[in-house]
Amino acid sequence: MPIYEYEAASTGRRCKKCALTFEVIQRLSDPPLNSCPECSQGIRRKISRPRVILPGSARGTDEIEQKVAEYERQGMYSHAAELADKESEKPEKTHLKERAMEDYKKAGYDF
Ligand SMILES: [Zn+2]
């Protein structure tokens, strides 16, 4: 579900919530809020693109792939290979197996 950022529409009275930009999780189909849920003062949605919350696992594995890419950039192919190899044991990450093999080769391992 997307997260939207809201801020007070005016600089008048503000409560603790709307004194700063705050985030609201809403369905795409939900109408935008126009008043603060705490103090009912007018608020407006910031134009920033909504962020979508990724499930914890997907987020975690993305981080692993980023780490693999970082090792590759630094020429640390054995590190990249080991990480990709370990990660590729997960059923949704089997595509990393090939990458691990390539990195192993680049690292000088012979298969
Ligand atoms: Zn408020």
Side-chain angles (χ1 to χ4, degrees):
M1 289 223 287
I3 303 172
Y4 294 98
E5 289 187 335
Y6 284 90
E7 62 184 1
S10 74
T11 52
R13 184 178 57 92
R14 296 175 183 190
C15 73
K16 217 159 57 178
K17 189 172 183 71
C18 59
L20 300 167
T21 300
F22 61 99
E23 296 177 334
V24 179
I25 300 172
Q26 290 186 289
R27 268 183 263 273
L28 283 170
S29 55
D30 282 349
L33 299 176
N34 51 29
S35 61
C36 172
E38 298 282 325
C39 69
S40 307
Q41 180 183 226
I43 55 169
R44 61 171 169 234
R45 194 152 82 180
K46 294 181 80 172
I47 303 172
S48 61
R49 217 151 47 100
R51 282 188 285 126
V52 173
I53 310 170
L54 296 172
S57 62
R59 194 176 203 156
T61 51
D62 282 353
E63 278 167 20
I64 299 279
E65 287 190 45
Q66 277 172 24
K67 191 79 191 162
V68 170
E70 198 183 309
Y71 280 138
E72 287 170 349
R73 270 201 304 277
Q74 292 170 357
M76 297 162 75
Y77 293 113
S78 59
H79 284 73
E82 275 169 37
L83 195 59
D85 198 10
K86 194 161 166 252
E87 190 68 7
S88 71
E89 285 164 21
K90 294 180 185 169
E92 74 276 19
K93 288 283 157 185
T94 50
H95 64 278
L96 284 174
K97 192 79 191 168
E98 251 174 75
R99 189 158 172 182
M101 288 301 148
E102 275 172 33
D103 285 336
Y104 274 128
K105 277 180 201 158
K106 286 178 189 161
Y109 290 81
D110 196 13
F111 287 100

